[in-house]
Amino acid sequence: IIIMKRTANYLLVSLGLVMAISACKSNQGGEKIIAIDVANIDTSVRPQDDFYSYANGLWLKNNPIPSTETRWGAFSILQDQTNKKLKVLLDESAANTAAAKGSNEQKVGDFYASGMDSLAIEKAGLSPLQNDLTAIQAIQNTNDLLNEISILQKKGVSALYSFYVYQDMKISSAYIPYADQGGLSLPDRDYYTQTDARSEEIRKQFRIHLVKMFGMMGDDQASATANAATVIRLETKLAEASMTRVEMRDPYATYNKMSITDANKITKNINWNTVITKAGLTNINEMIVSQPKFFIVLDNMLSAEKITAWKTYLRWHLVSGFAGNLNQAFVAESFAFNGTVMNGAKEMRPRWKRVLGDINGGIGEALGEVYVKRYFPEDAKKRCLEMVNNMQIVYRERIEKLDWMGDSTKKQAIEKLAVFIKKIGYPDKFKDYSKLTISRASYVQNIMAANEFAFAEMINKYGKPVDKTEWGMTPHTINAYYNPSINEIVFPAGILQFPFFDPSVDDAIN
């Protein structure tokens, strides 16, 4: 699932502590809560030498990473427990074939049923992608290519570059179109350019993976090998033109606002008026081209490379993007590279967890609405909000007493604190999915439909006030974030559970 959001602006909670911090106490259900459990402490390590190993050492020794995971800790354990609750809801929703058509229950149930129907998925093979594969095959020139890329980007296929609408980083009250570097299969440019042993091995395995995948698409060995080489060559050129992750950390370097006329001067082949129109936008006068150098190189490549090479590249991105949702052969090969080679997972997660991941990415808020009705107590929301309010009061008191901050700065800080947005548990108004059609007919088509819905929703923000009620996480997510562009803190219902939060225990623990 492609999430159309500049997630770099979210400061996510990713605590390194394995165990939560609390004393021994009983919760409302009478269960004993032990968060600082001395059984987890490794007393053979002096805390002043390595406090992490001292506090968590025996827990780490006694809790090996499960074969289906690449990391394990308190977040992972709570996520696994929450996933089991979500499975109950998904099974019930899928069994309820009488749910009102168009309701969240119907959409969640049908999405899950389509993903769990392994026989239908196996029988379908590549057929859910056939219309798009046919369209790619029919491409005759650069204009056809760019037109097809615009169509596929709506469906969640990442090819050549990213185009989306988001808040203007310097005018946070307004939305603006962005064009970002992209089009790579591997995580970033360094995977294509670094010469260390690990990078060399990944590229070797990537080539093997490409050949296998093209063979599964129907190519003979010679064609599959040649097509793999084409993809690697094109993506390496795109990578070399891309900013590094370090360079991307400079917000000024990526803030290149320009008129559409000036953007068209950078790219002779890419007409941004056409891209904007294809995306569903009108009356756009300016945009942000995050990496002008990348688009100059890309534009030259569009002229220099044969159209057959680009068709091969696009066919690869379409199939690889949905390989994990196709029949078992594609799923297994996708996992062998992306799961094992890239991330170290030894065993694939069960189907229900993989389908749950796609539902979270596609209609996560619909599932979240069902989740909070069943599992989220109102007293947890009330207690968390009370805590945050109290902390806000203390924060103001501390700002007023600071000796290093001038009076005018204190005034601005207090004004910012006063309009600080607190989102606890779940949205006051859940997302409206009424324009999204989900059925039991095709798993891949459901994923595409959800991507197209998300893309249209994102595009339709342009020209409207920034929606400060929107959530960047689903209610059942085990995480939290602060979003500086809106000045908000968000605590989803998912993380408002032990060991991170419990409404029955003392404030100091929470």
Side-chain angles (χ1 to χ4, degrees):
I1 301 292
I2 305 299
I3 304 299
M4 302 297 178
K5 190 174 270 110
R6 289 176 70 86
T7 53
N9 296 300
Y10 291 87
L11 305 182
L12 303 182
V13 176
S14 54
L15 303 179
L17 295 178
V18 172
M19 304 310 293
I21 299 175
S22 80
C24 179
K25 189 179 179 78
S26 294
N27 67 8
Q28 290 176 325
E31 298 168 326
K32 197 174 185 181
I33 295 175
I34 302 176
I36 295 184
D37 190 343
V38 294
N40 295 324
I41 295 176
D42 186 351
T43 55
S44 68
V45 178
R46 298 199 317 161
Q48 61 265 49
D49 292 340
D50 185 346
F51 187 78
Y52 182 82
S53 295
Y54 164 78
N56 301 302
L58 293 186
W59 188 92
L60 292 168
K61 292 176 183 176
N62 295 328
N63 290 273
I65 297 175
S67 59
T68 58
E69 306 302 320
T70 57
R71 60 187 297 171
W72 199 245
F75 275 78
S76 310
I77 292 169
L78 183 55
Q79 185 66 70
D80 200 53
Q81 293 168 356
T82 301
N83 284 346
K84 290 173 183 175
K85 295 178 182 178
L86 291 167
K87 185 179 185 298
V88 172
L89 297 175
L90 290 170
D91 286 335
E92 290 176 357
S93 297
N96 181 19
T97 55
K101 188 172 177 60
S103 66
N104 282 347
E105 288 79 3
Q106 174 263 310
K107 289 181 170 69
V108 168
D110 285 2
F111 204 145
Y112 185 64
S114 71
M116 294 302 292
D117 191 347
S118 56
L119 292 177
I121 292 170
E122 202 66 27
K123 183 179 178 181
L126 268 174
S127 63
L129 305 180
Q130 194 53 57
N131 288 341
D132 294 301
L133 288 168
T134 301
I136 291 170
Q137 188 58 37
I139 291 172
Q140 298 293 321
N141 51 50
T142 302
N143 287 337
D144 290 349
L145 172 70
L146 294 171
N147 179 60
E148 187 60 26
I149 284 172
S150 292
I151 292 170
L152 291 177
Q153 284 180 347
K154 294 178 181 180
K155 297 182 179 183
V157 178
S158 177
L160 288 192
Y161 61 89
S162 295
F163 181 82
Y164 56 94
V165 168
Y166 192 70
Q167 281 177 279
D168 188 321
M169 290 295 100
K170 288 190 177 182
I171 310 174
S172 60
S173 61
Y175 292 113
I176 191 169
Y178 285 80
D180 273 7
Q181 66 187 32
L184 305 180
S185 301
L186 302 179
D188 66 47
R189 79 183 302 279
D190 289 350
Y191 285 82
Y192 297 84
T193 60
Q194 290 185 346
T195 57
D196 59 282
R198 169 67 174 156
S199 298
E200 295 281 5
E201 179 62 22
I202 285 176
R203 287 194 291 273
K204 174 185 173 183
Q205 294 299 324
F206 180 46
R207 185 180 294 273
I208 293 171
H209 173 57
L210 279 162
V211 173
K212 287 182 179 179
M213 288 282 283
F214 276 114
M216 291 161 61
M217 292 181 217
D219 295 1
D220 59 36
Q221 185 66 27
S223 298
T225 302
N227 287 337
T230 295
V231 171
I232 291 173
R233 179 172 57 79
L234 293 176
E235 291 195 359
T236 300
K237 288 183 178 180
L238 293 173
E240 290 169 346
S242 300
M243 280 186 173
T244 65
R245 290 198 181 203
V246 173
E247 291 170 334
M248 293 278 286
R249 289 176 188 158
D250 180 357
Y252 296 98
T254 57
Y255 188 86
N256 302 292
K257 183 185 284 189
M258 60 186 71
S259 68
I260 304 304
T261 300
D262 287 340
N264 283 330
K265 291 178 182 177
I266 293 177
T267 56
K268 296 182 178 63
N269 290 294
I270 303 174
N271 185 310
W272 291 106
N273 299 88
T274 303
V275 171
I276 287 166
T277 301
K278 294 287 184 184
L281 291 166
T282 56
N283 301 319
I284 307 297
N285 298 317
E286 57 185 5
M287 63 185 291
I288 293 175
V289 180
S290 299
Q291 303 88 11
K293 176 191 168 185
F294 172 85
F295 284 96
I296 291 171
V297 173
L298 171 58
D299 195 63
N300 290 334
M301 288 175 65
L302 288 170
S303 296
E305 297 287 347
K306 293 180 179 179
I307 202 67
T308 52
W310 288 119
K311 288 163 69 171
T312 296
Y313 165 88
L314 204 53
R315 184 162 66 109
W316 155 253
H317 274 271
L318 170 65
V319 176
S320 65
F322 292 101
N325 316 115
L326 296 170
N327 58 1
Q328 187 55 32
F330 279 103
V331 170
E333 178 54 34
S334 179
F335 174 77
F337 180 74
N338 296 298
T340 302
V341 173
M342 294 300 296
N343 291 300
K346 298 175 183 176
E347 184 182 346
M348 195 183 305
R349 289 179 177 179
R351 176 178 286 276
W352 72 265
K353 283 190 176 182
R354 288 180 274 133
V355 176
L356 169 60
D358 286 329
I359 292 174
N360 280 335
I363 54 172
E365 208 164 287
L367 178 58
E369 184 175 7
V370 178
Y371 171 84
V372 297
K373 286 178 182 177
R374 175 78 59 89
Y375 294 114
F376 185 58
E378 277 298 316
D379 60 340
K381 180 172 184 173
K382 181 179 178 183
R383 180 68 183 282
C384 183
L385 181 59
E386 181 183 1
M387 276 185 53
V388 175
N389 287 339
N390 288 337
M391 292 166 72
Q392 195 174 11
I393 292 169
V394 174
Y395 201 4
R396 174 174 180 140
E397 292 173 352
R398 292 187 178 184
I399 291 172
E400 290 172 338
K401 294 176 182 177
L402 292 175
D403 58 6
W404 56 267
M405 188 181 283
D407 290 341
S408 63
T409 309
K410 286 182 182 180
K411 182 172 182 279
Q412 291 182 60
I414 290 170
E415 287 174 356
K416 182 175 181 179
L417 183 64
V419 296
F420 183 71
I421 298 172
K422 292 157 281 190
K423 296 178 178 176
I424 312 295
Y426 53 86
D428 293 331
K429 183 180 180 181
F430 282 93
K431 187 173 293 189
D432 179 9
Y433 289 99
S434 59
K435 294 183 179 179
L436 171 63
T437 300
I438 297 293
S439 74
R440 302 191 177 213
S442 170
Y443 183 38
V444 170
Q445 291 299 319
N446 282 337
I447 295 172
M448 284 188 173
N451 286 340
E452 289 179 292
F453 173 84
F455 189 92
E457 183 185 45
M458 174 263 296
I459 289 295
N460 288 335
K461 291 177 180 178
Y462 183 80
K464 298 175 183 175
V466 169
D467 184 3
K468 294 188 177 183
T469 68
E470 185 179 29
W471 280 52
M473 284 181 176
T474 62
H476 49 279
T477 298
I478 315 299
N479 216 321
Y481 68 91
Y482 171 70
N483 180 359
S485 64
I486 291 181
N487 188 30
E488 64 178 2
I489 192 79
V490 183
F491 291 107
I495 203 166
L496 297 180
Q497 304 178 74
F498 181 80
F500 301 110
F501 185 86
D502 190 292
S504 68
V505 301
D506 188 82
D507 276 350
I509 297 170
N510 283 328

